[in-house]
Amino acid sequence: MRLTIERKPVKVSPDPTRVIARYFFNGEERAVELIRKILKLDKEEVFSLTSPLLQDFSKRHRNITRKLLRNCERVKKYIIIAGGDYEKLDEYCKLLIGSYFTHEYSIESAAFFNPSIVPDPDQTNLEEGQLRVIISFRAVGEGHVSSVAFRRAIIDRNNDITVIPASNYIDEAEKIHNIVYQKRLFLKKAQEADIDDEFITTVSEKLGDRFDYEELKTLVADAKSKTSDPQMLRQYTLILALSDSYRRISFSKDTDISDRVIFPISDFESKGIEDARFVKFTDDQGRVYYYATYTAYDGVHIMPKLLKTTDFYEFKTSPLNGAGAKNKNLALFPRKINGKYAMLSRIDGWNNYLMYSDNINEWEDPVKIQGPEYPWEFVQIGNCGSPIETEHGWLVLTHAVGSMRKYSIAASLLDLNDPSIEIGRLKDPLIVPNPDEREGYVPNVVYSCGGIIHNDELIIPYGLSDHSSGFATVSLDTLLDRLRNGG
């Protein structure tokens, strides 16, 4: 018999008005011809085109002029080819050129789903029994490209949830290449990314044990200038794309959490950043970090990656390496266990695995700890976010797939000191798609990337058929009793 859950009346739906201004490029030949036409315009024509454009789009973007000038600078060499002098162009001409190399992208026009939830670093000015949280979502726009977006919410003493409305603007972070790479890990990931072994050896011989992006970029640029072999040129492009998987990104301090979107930047995530599982992690010294495991996808390769922040303004991303960092569904435990980092994974696509590591970016020796047992999970099981620590064990939300590819959400309880030991699992799912939840981009799916405990209840944010998101709660004591007594 299924446990009683309470579905909250709150729904978070995709909003097509949430747009970012992105660089748009249609090829060198077209760029040069376009710029030639713009350069032929006189100053009055340039002003008459630019002024209304700024008035229109300044209502939709914070500091649109900065974005247009930045995109104009990106086509500087084509301005020169077209016969222009970039340095002598007036600002209105630069803004107009930049506008022709900019387009709007609606980050959540298709879907806003698969949420995870963590306590907000800021818990000031709350009433007794309230908790301020940050919820991450998988936002999907044109071309089914996924990014990570955020909302802030307040949970009150009755566990009613108020999602704070999004602000008027949204923007990408600035990309900053200031990461120092460890050659051993970098080249190991290059092998996993199918980059040619001979090329890896060549690059390895010319790099120190630690190197930065500019060193690598200079080396690759020099190598590319000495070959016309398309295969080798592709390899050089891949190695730069891989380096882009290590980066720091930052958001302006005057942005609201809902203003910030982590959008694909590198080639290895060009088709999307999928299903971020955020967790509040406390290290042995009591320091708090927020980590998220997520899947980077380029249309061919799946690259598990790690996101790290302390304040949700500054983020560091890096790939996850090793035999255990395969496929999707990695979820980090919120603290070390017996002195080691611990992670759940699903390397074969249909069973749950556990692994330990001394290095948060390296994961080897995964051990299978759970497989499908009940008809509603015969196809596969996997985690629905990081384990949650309770006095009776690690509470793990799981997703399961049964007949007609119907997804459900269930739960398991693992031993605190040895999570390979399953104390219990539910014989029936907690959440199955009801008639109001089963229609969407992918029908018959409920899915979560992480829950939270507050006021003696487990709160589960979950995606509805790959379209929107809702919330459900269940009594923690009732759930743990069921798990400890046979499911």
Side-chain angles (χ1 to χ4, degrees):
M1 181 179 296
R2 289 171 51 202
L3 289 173
T4 299
I5 64 165
E6 179 186 355
R7 281 176 164 86
K8 298 294 183 178
V10 180
K11 294 288 187 294
V12 185
S13 298
D15 181 355
T17 68
R18 306 280 287 162
V19 294
I20 57 177
R22 307 210 75 233
Y23 179 62
F24 172 74
F25 189 72
N26 243 349
E28 295 186 9
E29 183 179 359
R30 294 178 66 174
V32 172
E33 184 60 29
L34 171 59
I35 293 169
R36 284 193 180 121
K37 292 176 180 178
I38 298 171
L39 294 176
K40 290 179 181 178
L41 300 173
D42 60 36
K43 286 190 176 182
E44 289 74 16
E45 288 176 302
V46 169
F47 179 80
S48 67
L49 290 169
T50 307
S51 180
L53 182 148
L54 295 179
Q55 293 179 45
D56 183 10
F57 286 92
S58 63
K59 299 179 181 69
R60 297 166 65 85
H61 302 277
R62 180 187 290 108
N63 201 346
I64 186 64
T65 56
R66 180 177 62 85
K67 297 175 174 65
L68 300 185
L69 290 173
R70 180 185 62 198
N71 288 346
C72 178
E73 187 176 8
R74 292 183 69 168
V75 296
K76 181 177 179 179
K77 72 175 182 178
Y78 304 113
I79 293 173
I80 296 171
I81 294 172
D85 186 335
Y86 177 81
E87 304 303 331
K88 292 183 178 179
L89 295 178
D90 67 28
E91 186 174 34
Y92 280 103
C93 188
K94 288 182 178 179
L95 289 167
L96 186 59
I97 291 173
S99 73
Y100 280 94
F101 292 91
T102 305
H103 74 126
E104 287 189 327
Y105 184 90
S106 178
I107 67 160
E108 56 188 78
S109 58
F112 205 63
F113 63 117
N114 292 3
S116 72
I117 186 170
V118 291
D120 193 315
D122 176 17
Q123 295 294 323
T124 60
N125 300 318
L126 294 176
E127 298 176 4
E128 184 177 352
Q130 288 185 326
L131 178 69
R132 184 180 291 115
V133 295
I134 291 175
I135 310 170
S136 70
F137 295 87
R138 178 178 171 184
V140 179
E142 177 186 355
H144 205 74
V145 176
S146 301
S147 56
V148 180
F150 302 97
R151 295 289 190 274
R152 183 171 276 115
I154 299 291
I155 306 173
D156 70 13
R157 66 183 65 194
N158 300 314
N159 280 349
D160 290 325
I161 300 164
T162 301
V163 179
I164 308 302
S167 66
N168 293 329
Y169 299 109
I170 189 166
D171 202 3
E172 298 176 79
E174 293 295 327
K175 183 173 64 168
I176 304 173
H177 287 296
N178 61 352
I179 301 294
V180 174
Y181 312 112
Q182 295 182 44
K183 183 168 69 175
R184 179 182 63 84
L185 289 180
F186 183 86
L187 295 178
K188 182 177 182 180
K189 199 63 187 179
Q191 290 177 319
E192 294 173 0
D194 297 329
I195 292 175
D196 182 74
D197 288 341
E198 183 178 346
F199 174 74
I200 291 174
T201 301
T202 301
V203 174
S204 174
E205 292 172 352
K206 297 181 180 180
L207 293 172
D209 289 339
R210 297 174 70 83
F211 58 94
D212 63 23
Y213 179 79
E214 289 303 322
E215 289 179 85
L216 180 65
K217 185 177 178 180
T218 300
L219 175 66
V220 170
D222 179 65
K224 289 178 74 172
S225 69
K226 297 175 181 177
T227 182
S228 59
D229 181 351
Q231 178 62 27
M232 289 304 295
L233 289 172
R234 179 178 177 275
Q235 293 295 323
Y236 286 116
T237 300
L238 279 175
I239 202 78
L240 275 184
L242 177 62
S243 73
D244 213 12
S245 295
Y246 301 76
R247 64 179 185 269
R248 294 184 189 274
I249 57 178
S250 62
F251 294 90
S252 172
K253 294 297 189 289
D254 65 356
T255 58
D256 180 68
I257 187 70
S258 65
D259 294 351
R260 307 167 209 157
V261 58
I262 301 176
F263 197 85
I265 295 176
S266 75
D267 287 347
F268 272 97
E269 58 191 30
S270 59
K271 296 299 183 181
I273 297 173
E274 301 180 358
D275 297 342
R277 287 159 159 76
F278 275 88
V279 61
K280 180 181 178 182
F281 183 92
T282 305
D283 71 10
D284 294 339
Q285 286 73 47
R287 294 170 299 195
V288 171
Y289 304 95
Y290 293 88
Y291 287 106
T293 52
Y294 69 92
T295 303
Y297 183 56
D298 67 357
V300 178
H301 304 98
I302 291 173
M303 180 186 287
K305 295 181 68 174
L306 186 70
L307 196 65
K308 178 183 179 182
T309 185
T310 58
D311 57 8
F312 289 86
Y313 288 103
E314 305 282 337
F315 295 84
K316 176 183 176 182
T317 69
S318 56
L320 294 170
N321 306 283
K326 304 290 186 183
N327 216 305
K328 302 181 179 183
N329 242 219
L330 276 73
L332 184 69
F333 281 70
R335 64 169 174 82
K336 288 184 176 181
I337 299 175
N338 301 319
K340 292 182 180 290
Y341 295 103
M343 182 90 81
L344 295 177
S345 69
R346 199 192 67 200
I347 61 171
D348 58 11
W350 57 297
N351 296 291
N352 271 333
Y353 288 76
L354 173 69
M355 47 194 176
Y356 296 98
S357 180
D358 294 316
N359 184 328
I360 200 168
N361 288 100
E362 280 193 276
W363 298 93
E364 304 287 355
D365 305 317
V367 175
K368 179 181 170 183
I369 61 170
Q370 289 180 316
E373 288 187 10
Y374 303 110
W376 48 272
E377 60 182 14
F378 274 177
V379 175
Q380 71 185 54
I381 63 169
N383 70 73
C384 270
S386 293
I388 302 170
E389 187 168 8
T390 75
E391 63 177 319
H392 298 295
W394 294 106
L395 178 60
V396 179
L397 286 172
T398 57
H399 75 264
V401 184
S403 60
M404 297 296 294
R405 199 170 176 256
K406 184 177 182 179
Y407 276 67
S408 56
I409 295 173
S412 300
L413 192 64
L414 308 179
D415 186 82
L416 280 178
N417 296 313
D418 184 0
S420 66
I421 299 173
E422 181 184 85
I423 296 172
R425 75 163 76 177
L426 294 181
K427 294 178 180 178
D428 298 287
L430 269 177
I431 306 174
V432 297
N434 68 21
D436 295 329
E437 299 171 339
R438 64 181 303 183
E439 308 298 347
Y441 185 78
V442 181
N444 304 307
V445 173
V446 288
Y447 193 92
S448 179
C449 288
I452 195 169
I453 292 172
H454 184 58
N455 292 333
D456 301 319
E457 287 188 321
L458 173 64
I459 301 170
I460 308 169
Y462 63 102
L464 312 174
S465 295
D466 284 16
H467 175 259
S468 55
S469 297
F471 300 86
T473 61
V474 61
S475 164
L476 180 63
D477 287 342
T478 302
L479 175 59
L480 291 176
D481 286 345
R482 179 70 64 91
L483 288 169
R484 295 168 65 206
N485 292 285

